[in-house]
């Protein structure tokens, strides 16, 4: 699959249902931690968090009370559309979603206190 086909696939999946793996029934052997639980423990209430490859945004919406502001970015239009819908449904005020390529960030230097990236 070339990069254009991959982006088209990713946009289609994102628009359809996001990248939410929370309902996948699986068993992880030997795993004793949860990525976003660790991220939330790292954050101070005054921090600004950037989540790269946020997908449908479910994970950072779930930890929204961990930081002052949480910004989720994803390169996929479909993913950001899903994340925005999830944000509106959740009525959480301190989370924002932006379509952006992680290799070309448009933020001031040292703007974020914490950066997370689980699936990118």
């Amino acid at each position: 699959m070339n990069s254009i086909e991959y982006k088209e696939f990713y946009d289609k999946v994102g628009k359809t249902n996001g990248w939410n793996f929370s309902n996948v029934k699986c068993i992880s052997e030997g795993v004793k931690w949860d990525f976003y639980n660790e991220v939330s423990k790292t954050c101070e209430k005054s921090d600004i968090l950037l989540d790269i490859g946020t997908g449908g945004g479910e994970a950072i919406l779930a930890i929204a009370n961990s930081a002052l502001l949480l910004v989720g970015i994803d390169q996929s239009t479909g993913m950001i559309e899903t994340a925005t819908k999830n944000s509106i449904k959740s009525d959480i005020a301190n989370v924002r979603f932006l379509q952006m390529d992680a290799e070309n960030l448009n933020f001031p230097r040292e703007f974020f206190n914490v950066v997370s990236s689980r699936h990118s």
Side-chain angles (χ1 to χ4, degrees), residues 10-23:
Y10 195 65
D11 281 343
K12 184 177 180 181
V13 170
K15 189 173 222 164
T16 303
N17 65 354
W19 216 243
N20 183 358
F21 296 105
S22 64
N23 293 320

Side-chain angles (χ1 to χ4, degrees), residues 10 14 18-20 51-58 72-74 76 78-84 86 97:
Y10 195 65
W19 216 243
N20 183 358
D51 186 50
I52 298 171
T54 203
E58 301 87 0
I73 65 165
D74 204 290
S76 166
M79 294 295 178
I80 293 302
E81 287 174 4
T82 298
T84 301
N86 288 336
F97 296 104

Side-chain angles (χ1 to χ4, degrees), residues 7 19 24 32 64-65 68 84 88-89 94 106 114 116 119:
K7 184 169 180 350
W19 216 243
V24 173
K32 307 244 187 265
N65 64 349
L68 179 65
T84 301
I88 291 167
K89 283 188 229 172
N94 66 326
N106 293 316
V114 178
S116 62
H119 293 300

Side-chain angles (χ1 to χ4, degrees), residues 44-120:
E44 301 288 333
K45 296 286 185 190
S46 59
D47 282 343
I48 301 175
L49 173 126
L50 173 64
D51 186 50
I52 298 171
T54 203
E58 301 87 0
I60 65 169
L61 287 167
I63 64 165
N65 64 349
S66 300
L68 179 65
L69 175 65
L70 298 87
V71 178
I73 65 165
D74 204 290
Q75 69 179 355
S76 166
T77 304
M79 294 295 178
I80 293 302
E81 287 174 4
T82 298
T84 301
K85 287 177 191 171
N86 288 336
S87 180
I88 291 167
K89 283 188 229 172
S90 72
D91 199 31
I92 296 172
N94 66 326
V95 177
R96 301 287 183 276
F97 296 104
L98 303 168
Q99 182 181 2
M100 190 178 297
D101 183 341
E103 294 189 27
N104 191 21
L105 298 177
N106 293 316
F107 298 104
R109 289 181 60 79
E110 301 180 23
F111 185 74
F112 296 98
N113 305 90
V114 178
V115 177
S116 62
S117 179
R118 181 173 67 171
H119 293 300
S120 279

Side-chain angles (χ1 to χ4, degrees), residues 15-46:
K15 189 173 222 164
T16 303
N17 65 354
W19 216 243
N20 183 358
F21 296 105
S22 64
N23 293 320
V24 173
K25 293 182 183 353
C26 67
I27 297 171
S28 298
E29 294 180 10
V31 176
K32 307 244 187 265
W33 58 278
D34 173 85
F35 181 81
Y36 283 100
N37 184 43
E38 296 300 315
V39 170
S40 68
K41 289 192 300 189
T42 301
C43 291
E44 301 288 333
K45 296 286 185 190
S46 59

